[in-house]
Amino acid sequence: MSARPHDSARDIPEATVARLPVYLRALTALAEAGTETCSSEELATSAGVNSAKLRKDLSYLGSYGTRGVGYDVDHLRYEIAREIGVTQDWPVVIVGIGNLGHALANFSGFRSRGFRVVALLDADERRRGERVAGIEVRDFEDLEEIVREHGVSIGVIATPAGAAQAVSDRMVSAGITSILNFAPGVISVPQGVDVRKVDLSIELQILAYHEQRKQAGEATGPVADPAGEAAAEVLA
Amino acid sequence: MSARPHDSARDIPEATVARLPVYLRALTALAEAGTETCSSEELATSAGVNSAKLRKDLSYLGSYGTRGVGYDVDHLRYEIAREIGVTQDWPVVIVGIGNLGHALANFSGFRSRGFRVVALLDADERRRGERVAGIEVRDFEDLEEIVREHGVSIGVIATPAGAAQAVSDRMVSAGITSILNFAPGVISVPQGVDVRKVDLSIELQILAYHEQRKQAGEATGPVADPAGEAAAEVLA
DNA sequence: CGGTGTGAAGTAGTTCACAGCG
DNA sequence: CGCTGTGAACTACTTCACACCG
């Protein structure tokens, strides 16, 4: 706790926070390709943003670039990782081991990015004992014990919608303060608990909205349309 | 249906578009509970937003409420569905039938929200012929044929990161103009093609950032943590 | 010179607060 | 009277453009 570059207490805009992991991934790719230095332009391109935004974002963390040169890939990578908090290891529990829970448990991207799945829980006792990704599926009732034992603060909900609120409540009272929710529908949590929601059908619906617009304006549309028959009638 | 309420050509803010599916889901839940009418306050609560935002959002679609009363659940539901474009049926292809592809293929929320999975494709021929959610897994090479035959304009990428760009390119040249990408990393597409990205580990990293902040300011917290030390090597 | 870092300008999104209608 | 619909005020985010420094 001596002279930190700056006390990392600066409040970073939420939009920037959401992009830092993207930059981190881009930097990792650059590092793996053997690149030692990159300009804001290069990094921005591989992260899919424009360079002004990238520089502004990085400026919230500090001045880690060299004027006239660019950024040291490894150093910047470290600084971003530290800022996000992925230099430490985060234990995670996943509740609901259906199709999605299986996919999540097997997802290697967690492990390699500072997250460790310490338990898989399911209320259905027919799933009990099954091993998924080398981890035994345990009773949801064991939640409190596991949270205590491993110091878990992040939980993932992959249950059907109907169970989500109850699972969330139980997670919160067990001490979990960050929840990633894959179940459709809103869950409510007390202040101080963060929830992020991933909803597959919402994403598709957003795409559908824009797609509908494209197809409505076809004839002189920017994209040649395949079989433009499906421009159907409105349903009842 | 003589005169359209207004030509539905109004440009709706992107932030609003992203919330319309949430309202739609909330309305569906209300309808299933037998509610016929609701106020902006009620609907906002069940959608997890505040009522001013909800009313502003709905105002972009038109005036579908009744002052002093509220909204007719079924009517509003219809208007939002029409605006999003989910009153019509959208054929979708899923490429990459690993764990995640399985979960997506089995996800019932697609079917019930205007999306129909018309094909599952995988480049790995060992997966060929397997049936997932009643749909046969076919060769990725069949993409063009399927897109043509079913008039597909929405594609889902659930492959490993390395394959995503190639799959995307192929989708675009087959005529797909909207892509939902679950593969980590940025894919680039020509203008006129929409991409939405869902990245599990990014979501977790955002949670970790906030979690780290909470824990930094703690004296008595749920988790004891040896925060910033051993911060030598970054990630694997 | 070349590329970062950043004030200033511009744009998008949210919240307020209340007029106006059923 | 109650609740919607909406200008106006505010806040957050993005982009511009250039001073500054290695």
Side-chain angles (χ1 to χ4, degrees), chain A residues 8 14 25 78 83 177-178 196 199 203 209-214 234, chain B residues 8 14 25 78 83 177-178 196 199 203 210-214 231:
Chain A
S8 80
E14 196 51 39
R25 169 131 49 208
Y78 166 72
E83 191 68 44
T177 46
S178 292
R196 294 192 67 87
D199 191 313
E203 297 301 323
Y209 171 83
H210 294 294
E211 193 58 43
Q212 190 185 35
R213 293 284 158 125
K214 288 180 209 164
V234 168
Chain B
S8 82
E14 195 51 38
R25 170 134 46 211
Y78 166 73
E83 191 68 44
T177 46
S178 293
R196 293 192 66 87
D199 190 314
E203 297 300 323
H210 294 293
E211 193 58 43
Q212 191 185 37
R213 292 285 157 124
K214 288 180 210 164

PDB file of all heavy atoms in Angstrom, chain A residues 8 14 25 78 83 177-178 196 199 203 209-214 234, chain B residues 8 14 25 78 83 177-178 196 199 203 210-214 231:
ATOM      1  N   SER A   8      -6.691   4.444  -7.396  1.00  0.00           N
ATOM      2  CA  SER A   8      -7.698   3.606  -8.052  1.00  0.00           C
ATOM      3  C   SER A   8      -9.088   3.852  -7.491  1.00  0.00           C
ATOM      4  O   SER A   8      -9.944   2.995  -7.529  1.00  0.00           O
ATOM      5  CB  SER A   8      -7.337   2.112  -7.964  1.00  0.00           C
ATOM      6  OG  SER A   8      -7.678   1.577  -6.720  1.00  0.00           O
ATOM      7  N   GLU A  14     -19.646   4.103 -16.113  1.00  0.00           N
ATOM      8  CA  GLU A  14     -20.146   2.757 -16.319  1.00  0.00           C
ATOM      9  C   GLU A  14     -19.887   2.258 -17.750  1.00  0.00           C
ATOM     10  O   GLU A  14     -19.525   1.103 -17.971  1.00  0.00           O
ATOM     11  CB  GLU A  14     -21.639   2.724 -16.000  1.00  0.00           C
ATOM     12  CG  GLU A  14     -22.235   1.355 -15.804  1.00  0.00           C
ATOM     13  CD  GLU A  14     -21.468   0.491 -14.812  1.00  0.00           C
ATOM     14  OE1 GLU A  14     -21.001   1.004 -13.782  1.00  0.00           O
ATOM     15  OE2 GLU A  14     -21.331  -0.730 -15.086  1.00  0.00           O
ATOM     16  N   ARG A  25      -9.317  -8.217 -23.493  1.00  0.00           N
ATOM     17  CA  ARG A  25      -9.290  -9.352 -24.416  1.00  0.00           C
ATOM     18  C   ARG A  25      -8.468  -9.024 -25.659  1.00  0.00           C
ATOM     19  O   ARG A  25      -7.680  -9.835 -26.128  1.00  0.00           O
ATOM     20  CB  ARG A  25     -10.705  -9.730 -24.822  1.00  0.00           C
ATOM     21  CG  ARG A  25     -10.750 -10.713 -25.970  1.00  0.00           C
ATOM     22  CD  ARG A  25     -11.636 -11.877 -25.745  1.00  0.00           C
ATOM     23  NE  ARG A  25     -12.949 -11.500 -25.270  1.00  0.00           N
ATOM     24  CZ  ARG A  25     -13.719 -12.277 -24.522  1.00  0.00           C
ATOM     25  NH1 ARG A  25     -13.291 -13.454 -24.176  1.00  0.00           N
ATOM     26  NH2 ARG A  25     -14.904 -11.878 -24.146  1.00  0.00           N
ATOM     27  N   TYR A  78      -1.881  -5.399 -17.637  1.00  0.00           N
ATOM     28  CA  TYR A  78      -1.852  -5.532 -16.195  1.00  0.00           C
ATOM     29  C   TYR A  78      -2.694  -4.459 -15.520  1.00  0.00           C
ATOM     30  O   TYR A  78      -3.473  -4.734 -14.603  1.00  0.00           O
ATOM     31  CB  TYR A  78      -0.403  -5.473 -15.677  1.00  0.00           C
ATOM     32  CG  TYR A  78      -0.356  -5.266 -14.206  1.00  0.00           C
ATOM     33  CD1 TYR A  78      -0.728  -6.298 -13.341  1.00  0.00           C
ATOM     34  CD2 TYR A  78      -0.009  -4.034 -13.663  1.00  0.00           C
ATOM     35  CE1 TYR A  78      -0.749  -6.102 -11.984  1.00  0.00           C
ATOM     36  CE2 TYR A  78      -0.028  -3.823 -12.300  1.00  0.00           C
ATOM     37  CZ  TYR A  78      -0.399  -4.864 -11.461  1.00  0.00           C
ATOM     38  OH  TYR A  78      -0.438  -4.666 -10.111  1.00  0.00           O
ATOM     39  N   GLU A  83      -7.470  -2.962 -12.465  1.00  0.00           N
ATOM     40  CA  GLU A  83      -8.605  -2.066 -12.286  1.00  0.00           C
ATOM     41  C   GLU A  83      -9.919  -2.849 -12.219  1.00  0.00           C
ATOM     42  O   GLU A  83     -10.776  -2.586 -11.389  1.00  0.00           O
ATOM     43  CB  GLU A  83      -8.651  -1.065 -13.445  1.00  0.00           C
ATOM     44  CG  GLU A  83      -9.623   0.068 -13.233  1.00  0.00           C
ATOM     45  CD  GLU A  83      -9.205   1.012 -12.103  1.00  0.00           C
ATOM     46  OE1 GLU A  83      -7.999   1.358 -12.042  1.00  0.00           O
ATOM     47  OE2 GLU A  83     -10.067   1.386 -11.297  1.00  0.00           O
ATOM     48  N   THR A 177     -23.286 -10.771  -3.253  1.00  0.00           N
ATOM     49  CA  THR A 177     -23.605  -9.371  -3.521  1.00  0.00           C
ATOM     50  C   THR A 177     -23.525  -9.016  -5.005  1.00  0.00           C
ATOM     51  O   THR A 177     -23.699  -7.852  -5.377  1.00  0.00           O
ATOM     52  CB  THR A 177     -22.672  -8.438  -2.724  1.00  0.00           C
ATOM     53  OG1 THR A 177     -21.331  -8.907  -2.855  1.00  0.00           O
ATOM     54  CG2 THR A 177     -23.055  -8.420  -1.260  1.00  0.00           C
ATOM     55  N   SER A 178     -23.242 -10.000  -5.857  1.00  0.00           N
ATOM     56  CA  SER A 178     -23.261  -9.763  -7.305  1.00  0.00           C
ATOM     57  C   SER A 178     -23.890 -10.964  -7.982  1.00  0.00           C
ATOM     58  O   SER A 178     -23.493 -12.105  -7.731  1.00  0.00           O
ATOM     59  CB  SER A 178     -21.843  -9.586  -7.846  1.00  0.00           C
ATOM     60  OG  SER A 178     -21.265  -8.394  -7.372  1.00  0.00           O
ATOM     61  N   ARG A 196     -26.666  -8.256 -13.049  1.00  0.00           N
ATOM     62  CA  ARG A 196     -26.599  -8.096 -14.491  1.00  0.00           C
ATOM     63  C   ARG A 196     -27.424  -9.206 -15.102  1.00  0.00           C
ATOM     64  O   ARG A 196     -27.455 -10.316 -14.608  1.00  0.00           O
ATOM     65  CB  ARG A 196     -25.164  -8.124 -15.016  1.00  0.00           C
ATOM     66  CG  ARG A 196     -24.363  -6.913 -14.535  1.00  0.00           C
ATOM     67  CD  ARG A 196     -23.067  -6.784 -15.271  1.00  0.00           C
ATOM     68  NE  ARG A 196     -23.260  -6.462 -16.670  1.00  0.00           N
ATOM     69  CZ  ARG A 196     -23.384  -5.224 -17.151  1.00  0.00           C
ATOM     70  NH1 ARG A 196     -23.334  -4.184 -16.346  1.00  0.00           N
ATOM     71  NH2 ARG A 196     -23.542  -5.030 -18.435  1.00  0.00           N
ATOM     72  N   ASP A 199     -30.248 -11.897 -21.446  1.00  0.00           N
ATOM     73  CA  ASP A 199     -31.503 -12.467 -21.915  1.00  0.00           C
ATOM     74  C   ASP A 199     -31.454 -12.697 -23.416  1.00  0.00           C
ATOM     75  O   ASP A 199     -31.464 -11.774 -24.218  1.00  0.00           O
ATOM     76  CB  ASP A 199     -32.641 -11.522 -21.550  1.00  0.00           C
ATOM     77  CG  ASP A 199     -33.999 -12.171 -21.762  1.00  0.00           C
ATOM     78  OD1 ASP A 199     -34.198 -12.776 -22.840  1.00  0.00           O
ATOM     79  OD2 ASP A 199     -34.844 -12.068 -20.872  1.00  0.00           O
ATOM     80  N   GLU A 203     -32.196 -10.079 -26.816  1.00  0.00           N
ATOM     81  CA  GLU A 203     -31.197  -9.736 -27.844  1.00  0.00           C
ATOM     82  C   GLU A 203     -31.746  -9.996 -29.245  1.00  0.00           C
ATOM     83  O   GLU A 203     -31.594  -9.187 -30.155  1.00  0.00           O
ATOM     84  CB  GLU A 203     -29.917 -10.555 -27.635  1.00  0.00           C
ATOM     85  CG  GLU A 203     -29.201 -10.278 -26.327  1.00  0.00           C
ATOM     86  CD  GLU A 203     -28.777  -8.822 -26.180  1.00  0.00           C
ATOM     87  OE1 GLU A 203     -28.370  -8.213 -27.191  1.00  0.00           O
ATOM     88  OE2 GLU A 203     -28.866  -8.287 -25.062  1.00  0.00           O
ATOM     89  N   TYR A 209     -36.158  -6.011 -34.453  1.00  0.00           N
ATOM     90  CA  TYR A 209     -36.622  -4.636 -34.664  1.00  0.00           C
ATOM     91  C   TYR A 209     -35.869  -3.975 -35.811  1.00  0.00           C
ATOM     92  O   TYR A 209     -36.465  -3.419 -36.722  1.00  0.00           O
ATOM     93  CB  TYR A 209     -36.447  -3.816 -33.380  1.00  0.00           C
ATOM     94  CG  TYR A 209     -36.698  -2.349 -33.575  1.00  0.00           C
ATOM     95  CD1 TYR A 209     -37.991  -1.841 -33.555  1.00  0.00           C
ATOM     96  CD2 TYR A 209     -35.640  -1.470 -33.820  1.00  0.00           C
ATOM     97  CE1 TYR A 209     -38.228  -0.489 -33.758  1.00  0.00           C
ATOM     98  CE2 TYR A 209     -35.871  -0.114 -34.021  1.00  0.00           C
ATOM     99  CZ  TYR A 209     -37.165   0.365 -33.995  1.00  0.00           C
ATOM    100  OH  TYR A 209     -37.397   1.690 -34.209  1.00  0.00           O
ATOM    101  N   HIS A 210     -34.556  -4.074 -35.757  1.00  0.00           N
ATOM    102  CA  HIS A 210     -33.757  -3.426 -36.805  1.00  0.00           C
ATOM    103  C   HIS A 210     -33.926  -4.131 -38.148  1.00  0.00           C
ATOM    104  O   HIS A 210     -33.953  -3.495 -39.202  1.00  0.00           O
ATOM    105  CB  HIS A 210     -32.287  -3.391 -36.398  1.00  0.00           C
ATOM    106  CG  HIS A 210     -32.028  -2.516 -35.209  1.00  0.00           C
ATOM    107  ND1 HIS A 210     -32.193  -1.159 -35.241  1.00  0.00           N
ATOM    108  CD2 HIS A 210     -31.650  -2.808 -33.936  1.00  0.00           C
ATOM    109  CE1 HIS A 210     -31.914  -0.647 -34.042  1.00  0.00           C
ATOM    110  NE2 HIS A 210     -31.586  -1.634 -33.230  1.00  0.00           N
ATOM    111  N   GLU A 211     -34.047  -5.431 -38.077  1.00  0.00           N
ATOM    112  CA  GLU A 211     -34.238  -6.207 -39.304  1.00  0.00           C
ATOM    113  C   GLU A 211     -35.537  -5.806 -39.991  1.00  0.00           C
ATOM    114  O   GLU A 211     -35.589  -5.624 -41.214  1.00  0.00           O
ATOM    115  CB  GLU A 211     -34.261  -7.692 -38.933  1.00  0.00           C
ATOM    116  CG  GLU A 211     -34.137  -8.643 -40.092  1.00  0.00           C
ATOM    117  CD  GLU A 211     -32.862  -8.416 -40.876  1.00  0.00           C
ATOM    118  OE1 GLU A 211     -31.788  -8.225 -40.277  1.00  0.00           O
ATOM    119  OE2 GLU A 211     -32.950  -8.410 -42.115  1.00  0.00           O
ATOM    120  N   GLN A 212     -36.558  -5.639 -39.202  1.00  0.00           N
ATOM    121  CA  GLN A 212     -37.851  -5.238 -39.736  1.00  0.00           C
ATOM    122  C   GLN A 212     -37.735  -3.891 -40.453  1.00  0.00           C
ATOM    123  O   GLN A 212     -38.296  -3.689 -41.527  1.00  0.00           O
ATOM    124  CB  GLN A 212     -38.836  -5.121 -38.569  1.00  0.00           C
ATOM    125  CG  GLN A 212     -40.276  -4.955 -38.986  1.00  0.00           C
ATOM    126  CD  GLN A 212     -41.188  -4.719 -37.775  1.00  0.00           C
ATOM    127  OE1 GLN A 212     -40.789  -4.077 -36.810  1.00  0.00           O
ATOM    128  NE2 GLN A 212     -42.385  -5.249 -37.842  1.00  0.00           N
ATOM    129  N   ARG A 213     -36.982  -3.004 -39.838  1.00  0.00           N
ATOM    130  CA  ARG A 213     -36.766  -1.698 -40.456  1.00  0.00           C
ATOM    131  C   ARG A 213     -36.055  -1.810 -41.791  1.00  0.00           C
ATOM    132  O   ARG A 213     -36.415  -1.168 -42.768  1.00  0.00           O
ATOM    133  CB  ARG A 213     -35.905  -0.806 -39.539  1.00  0.00           C
ATOM    134  CG  ARG A 213     -36.597  -0.421 -38.278  1.00  0.00           C
ATOM    135  CD  ARG A 213     -37.607   0.650 -38.605  1.00  0.00           C
ATOM    136  NE  ARG A 213     -38.648   0.720 -37.620  1.00  0.00           N
ATOM    137  CZ  ARG A 213     -38.978   1.816 -36.960  1.00  0.00           C
ATOM    138  NH1 ARG A 213     -38.306   2.934 -37.173  1.00  0.00           N
ATOM    139  NH2 ARG A 213     -39.959   1.803 -36.095  1.00  0.00           N
ATOM    140  N   LYS A 214     -35.030  -2.623 -41.805  1.00  0.00           N
ATOM    141  CA  LYS A 214     -34.296  -2.818 -43.059  1.00  0.00           C
ATOM    142  C   LYS A 214     -35.226  -3.331 -44.139  1.00  0.00           C
ATOM    143  O   LYS A 214     -35.228  -2.843 -45.259  1.00  0.00           O
ATOM    144  CB  LYS A 214     -33.178  -3.860 -42.873  1.00  0.00           C
ATOM    145  CG  LYS A 214     -32.004  -3.403 -42.058  1.00  0.00           C
ATOM    146  CD  LYS A 214     -30.990  -4.552 -41.978  1.00  0.00           C
ATOM    147  CE  LYS A 214     -30.195  -4.485 -40.683  1.00  0.00           C
ATOM    148  NZ  LYS A 214     -29.501  -5.743 -40.393  1.00  0.00           N
ATOM    149  N   VAL A 234     -49.530  -8.452 -40.439  1.00  0.00           N
ATOM    150  CA  VAL A 234     -49.475  -8.353 -39.002  1.00  0.00           C
ATOM    151  C   VAL A 234     -50.386  -9.393 -38.364  1.00  0.00           C
ATOM    152  O   VAL A 234     -51.502  -9.602 -38.794  1.00  0.00           O
ATOM    153  CB  VAL A 234     -49.922  -6.948 -38.585  1.00  0.00           C
ATOM    154  CG1 VAL A 234     -50.157  -6.890 -37.091  1.00  0.00           C
ATOM    155  CG2 VAL A 234     -48.884  -5.940 -39.013  1.00  0.00           C
TER     156      VAL A 234
ATOM    157  N   SER B   8     -45.263   4.412 -38.046  1.00  0.00           N
ATOM    158  CA  SER B   8     -44.289   3.538 -37.408  1.00  0.00           C
ATOM    159  C   SER B   8     -42.898   3.731 -37.998  1.00  0.00           C
ATOM    160  O   SER B   8     -42.055   2.851 -37.960  1.00  0.00           O
ATOM    161  CB  SER B   8     -44.705   2.060 -37.511  1.00  0.00           C
ATOM    162  OG  SER B   8     -44.365   1.513 -38.754  1.00  0.00           O
ATOM    163  N   GLU B  14     -32.316   4.055 -29.420  1.00  0.00           N
ATOM    164  CA  GLU B  14     -31.787   2.710 -29.216  1.00  0.00           C
ATOM    165  C   GLU B  14     -32.038   2.208 -27.793  1.00  0.00           C
ATOM    166  O   GLU B  14     -32.388   1.045 -27.587  1.00  0.00           O
ATOM    167  CB  GLU B  14     -30.291   2.717 -29.522  1.00  0.00           C
ATOM    168  CG  GLU B  14     -29.660   1.364 -29.709  1.00  0.00           C
ATOM    169  CD  GLU B  14     -30.399   0.480 -30.710  1.00  0.00           C
ATOM    170  OE1 GLU B  14     -30.889   0.999 -31.742  1.00  0.00           O
ATOM    171  OE2 GLU B  14     -30.503  -0.737 -30.442  1.00  0.00           O
ATOM    172  N   ARG B  25     -42.419  -8.512 -22.128  1.00  0.00           N
ATOM    173  CA  ARG B  25     -42.431  -9.652 -21.209  1.00  0.00           C
ATOM    174  C   ARG B  25     -43.260  -9.342 -19.963  1.00  0.00           C
ATOM    175  O   ARG B  25     -44.043 -10.176 -19.505  1.00  0.00           O
ATOM    176  CB  ARG B  25     -41.009 -10.012 -20.805  1.00  0.00           C
ATOM    177  CG  ARG B  25     -40.966 -11.015 -19.688  1.00  0.00           C
ATOM    178  CD  ARG B  25     -40.018 -12.143 -19.875  1.00  0.00           C
ATOM    179  NE  ARG B  25     -38.712 -11.754 -20.326  1.00  0.00           N
ATOM    180  CZ  ARG B  25     -37.941 -12.505 -21.088  1.00  0.00           C
ATOM    181  NH1 ARG B  25     -38.380 -13.668 -21.489  1.00  0.00           N
ATOM    182  NH2 ARG B  25     -36.758 -12.104 -21.438  1.00  0.00           N
ATOM    183  N   TYR B  78     -49.901  -5.803 -27.948  1.00  0.00           N
ATOM    184  CA  TYR B  78     -49.940  -5.923 -29.402  1.00  0.00           C
ATOM    185  C   TYR B  78     -49.122  -4.823 -30.074  1.00  0.00           C
ATOM    186  O   TYR B  78     -48.347  -5.076 -31.005  1.00  0.00           O
ATOM    187  CB  TYR B  78     -51.387  -5.891 -29.899  1.00  0.00           C
ATOM    188  CG  TYR B  78     -51.448  -5.667 -31.386  1.00  0.00           C
ATOM    189  CD1 TYR B  78     -51.086  -6.693 -32.261  1.00  0.00           C
ATOM    190  CD2 TYR B  78     -51.805  -4.425 -31.907  1.00  0.00           C
ATOM    191  CE1 TYR B  78     -51.082  -6.476 -33.617  1.00  0.00           C
ATOM    192  CE2 TYR B  78     -51.808  -4.210 -33.266  1.00  0.00           C
ATOM    193  CZ  TYR B  78     -51.440  -5.234 -34.117  1.00  0.00           C
ATOM    194  OH  TYR B  78     -51.425  -5.019 -35.467  1.00  0.00           O
ATOM    195  N   GLU B  83     -44.365  -3.203 -33.108  1.00  0.00           N
ATOM    196  CA  GLU B  83     -43.249  -2.290 -33.280  1.00  0.00           C
ATOM    197  C   GLU B  83     -41.917  -3.045 -33.349  1.00  0.00           C
ATOM    198  O   GLU B  83     -41.072  -2.754 -34.195  1.00  0.00           O
ATOM    199  CB  GLU B  83     -43.220  -1.294 -32.116  1.00  0.00           C
ATOM    200  CG  GLU B  83     -42.276  -0.135 -32.313  1.00  0.00           C
ATOM    201  CD  GLU B  83     -42.721   0.811 -33.421  1.00  0.00           C
ATOM    202  OE1 GLU B  83     -43.919   1.136 -33.476  1.00  0.00           O
ATOM    203  OE2 GLU B  83     -41.864   1.219 -34.227  1.00  0.00           O
ATOM    204  N   THR B 177     -28.423 -10.653 -42.355  1.00  0.00           N
ATOM    205  CA  THR B 177     -28.129  -9.243 -42.067  1.00  0.00           C
ATOM    206  C   THR B 177     -28.211  -8.896 -40.585  1.00  0.00           C
ATOM    207  O   THR B 177     -28.060  -7.733 -40.211  1.00  0.00           O
ATOM    208  CB  THR B 177     -29.077  -8.320 -42.861  1.00  0.00           C
ATOM    209  OG1 THR B 177     -30.411  -8.807 -42.733  1.00  0.00           O
ATOM    210  CG2 THR B 177     -28.701  -8.285 -44.319  1.00  0.00           C
ATOM    211  N   SER B 178     -28.488  -9.895 -39.751  1.00  0.00           N
ATOM    212  CA  SER B 178     -28.476  -9.675 -38.303  1.00  0.00           C
ATOM    213  C   SER B 178     -27.831 -10.872 -37.633  1.00  0.00           C
ATOM    214  O   SER B 178     -28.222 -12.019 -37.898  1.00  0.00           O
ATOM    215  CB  SER B 178     -29.894  -9.515 -37.763  1.00  0.00           C
ATOM    216  OG  SER B 178     -30.493  -8.339 -38.238  1.00  0.00           O
ATOM    217  N   ARG B 196     -25.081  -8.172 -32.543  1.00  0.00           N
ATOM    218  CA  ARG B 196     -25.147  -8.008 -31.104  1.00  0.00           C
ATOM    219  C   ARG B 196     -24.315  -9.106 -30.494  1.00  0.00           C
ATOM    220  O   ARG B 196     -24.262 -10.222 -31.000  1.00  0.00           O
ATOM    221  CB  ARG B 196     -26.587  -8.064 -30.574  1.00  0.00           C
ATOM    222  CG  ARG B 196     -27.412  -6.875 -31.046  1.00  0.00           C
ATOM    223  CD  ARG B 196     -28.710  -6.778 -30.310  1.00  0.00           C
ATOM    224  NE  ARG B 196     -28.532  -6.477 -28.913  1.00  0.00           N
ATOM    225  CZ  ARG B 196     -28.439  -5.233 -28.421  1.00  0.00           C
ATOM    226  NH1 ARG B 196     -28.504  -4.199 -29.232  1.00  0.00           N
ATOM    227  NH2 ARG B 196     -28.273  -5.041 -27.146  1.00  0.00           N
ATOM    228  N   ASP B 199     -21.456 -11.810 -24.168  1.00  0.00           N
ATOM    229  CA  ASP B 199     -20.186 -12.356 -23.720  1.00  0.00           C
ATOM    230  C   ASP B 199     -20.226 -12.597 -22.219  1.00  0.00           C
ATOM    231  O   ASP B 199     -20.230 -11.693 -21.409  1.00  0.00           O
ATOM    232  CB  ASP B 199     -19.062 -11.394 -24.075  1.00  0.00           C
ATOM    233  CG  ASP B 199     -17.700 -12.016 -23.850  1.00  0.00           C
ATOM    234  OD1 ASP B 199     -17.505 -12.633 -22.786  1.00  0.00           O
ATOM    235  OD2 ASP B 199     -16.838 -11.890 -24.733  1.00  0.00           O
ATOM    236  N   GLU B 203     -19.540 -10.011 -18.796  1.00  0.00           N
ATOM    237  CA  GLU B 203     -20.538  -9.709 -17.769  1.00  0.00           C
ATOM    238  C   GLU B 203     -19.977  -9.967 -16.372  1.00  0.00           C
ATOM    239  O   GLU B 203     -20.155  -9.162 -15.456  1.00  0.00           O
ATOM    240  CB  GLU B 203     -21.798 -10.543 -17.983  1.00  0.00           C
ATOM    241  CG  GLU B 203     -22.526 -10.260 -19.288  1.00  0.00           C
ATOM    242  CD  GLU B 203     -22.978  -8.811 -19.412  1.00  0.00           C
ATOM    243  OE1 GLU B 203     -23.383  -8.226 -18.395  1.00  0.00           O
ATOM    244  OE2 GLU B 203     -22.903  -8.261 -20.527  1.00  0.00           O
ATOM    245  N   HIS B 210     -17.252  -4.027  -9.817  1.00  0.00           N
ATOM    246  CA  HIS B 210     -18.065  -3.411  -8.771  1.00  0.00           C
ATOM    247  C   HIS B 210     -17.869  -4.117  -7.430  1.00  0.00           C
ATOM    248  O   HIS B 210     -17.846  -3.488  -6.382  1.00  0.00           O
ATOM    249  CB  HIS B 210     -19.536  -3.402  -9.172  1.00  0.00           C
ATOM    250  CG  HIS B 210     -19.811  -2.526 -10.354  1.00  0.00           C
ATOM    251  ND1 HIS B 210     -19.675  -1.160 -10.315  1.00  0.00           N
ATOM    252  CD2 HIS B 210     -20.180  -2.810 -11.621  1.00  0.00           C
ATOM    253  CE1 HIS B 210     -19.965  -0.640 -11.498  1.00  0.00           C
ATOM    254  NE2 HIS B 210     -20.275  -1.641 -12.318  1.00  0.00           N
ATOM    255  N   GLU B 211     -17.734  -5.420  -7.508  1.00  0.00           N
ATOM    256  CA  GLU B 211     -17.531  -6.205  -6.300  1.00  0.00           C
ATOM    257  C   GLU B 211     -16.227  -5.795  -5.600  1.00  0.00           C
ATOM    258  O   GLU B 211     -16.179  -5.622  -4.388  1.00  0.00           O
ATOM    259  CB  GLU B 211     -17.484  -7.685  -6.673  1.00  0.00           C
ATOM    260  CG  GLU B 211     -17.586  -8.651  -5.520  1.00  0.00           C
ATOM    261  CD  GLU B 211     -18.872  -8.453  -4.725  1.00  0.00           C
ATOM    262  OE1 GLU B 211     -19.953  -8.268  -5.317  1.00  0.00           O
ATOM    263  OE2 GLU B 211     -18.769  -8.470  -3.490  1.00  0.00           O
ATOM    264  N   GLN B 212     -15.220  -5.599  -6.397  1.00  0.00           N
ATOM    265  CA  GLN B 212     -13.930  -5.182  -5.864  1.00  0.00           C
ATOM    266  C   GLN B 212     -14.068  -3.848  -5.134  1.00  0.00           C
ATOM    267  O   GLN B 212     -13.503  -3.651  -4.068  1.00  0.00           O
ATOM    268  CB  GLN B 212     -12.951  -5.045  -7.025  1.00  0.00           C
ATOM    269  CG  GLN B 212     -11.513  -4.863  -6.594  1.00  0.00           C
ATOM    270  CD  GLN B 212     -10.605  -4.607  -7.787  1.00  0.00           C
ATOM    271  OE1 GLN B 212     -11.008  -3.928  -8.742  1.00  0.00           O
ATOM    272  NE2 GLN B 212      -9.402  -5.137  -7.757  1.00  0.00           N
ATOM    273  N   ARG B 213     -14.833  -2.953  -5.727  1.00  0.00           N
ATOM    274  CA  ARG B 213     -15.059  -1.654  -5.096  1.00  0.00           C
ATOM    275  C   ARG B 213     -15.749  -1.790  -3.761  1.00  0.00           C
ATOM    276  O   ARG B 213     -15.392  -1.167  -2.784  1.00  0.00           O
ATOM    277  CB  ARG B 213     -15.942  -0.777  -6.000  1.00  0.00           C
ATOM    278  CG  ARG B 213     -15.266  -0.365  -7.259  1.00  0.00           C
ATOM    279  CD  ARG B 213     -14.282   0.714  -6.924  1.00  0.00           C
ATOM    280  NE  ARG B 213     -13.250   0.812  -7.912  1.00  0.00           N
ATOM    281  CZ  ARG B 213     -12.964   1.934  -8.581  1.00  0.00           C
ATOM    282  NH1 ARG B 213     -13.677   3.011  -8.357  1.00  0.00           N
ATOM    283  NH2 ARG B 213     -11.974   1.954  -9.445  1.00  0.00           N
ATOM    284  N   LYS B 214     -16.786  -2.637  -3.743  1.00  0.00           N
ATOM    285  CA  LYS B 214     -17.510  -2.849  -2.490  1.00  0.00           C
ATOM    286  C   LYS B 214     -16.551  -3.367  -1.424  1.00  0.00           C
ATOM    287  O   LYS B 214     -16.555  -2.900  -0.302  1.00  0.00           O
ATOM    288  CB  LYS B 214     -18.609  -3.909  -2.675  1.00  0.00           C
ATOM    289  CG  LYS B 214     -19.799  -3.469  -3.488  1.00  0.00           C
ATOM    290  CD  LYS B 214     -20.791  -4.631  -3.583  1.00  0.00           C
ATOM    291  CE  LYS B 214     -21.583  -4.575  -4.872  1.00  0.00           C
ATOM    292  NZ  LYS B 214     -22.256  -5.850  -5.172  1.00  0.00           N
ATOM    293  N   ALA B 231       0.143  -9.493  -7.203  1.00  0.00           N
ATOM    294  CA  ALA B 231      -0.389  -9.009  -8.471  1.00  0.00           C
ATOM    295  C   ALA B 231       0.690  -8.957  -9.523  1.00  0.00           C
ATOM    296  O   ALA B 231       0.818  -8.003 -10.269  1.00  0.00           O
ATOM    297  CB  ALA B 231      -1.013  -7.639  -8.270  1.00  0.00           C
TER     298      ALA B 231
END
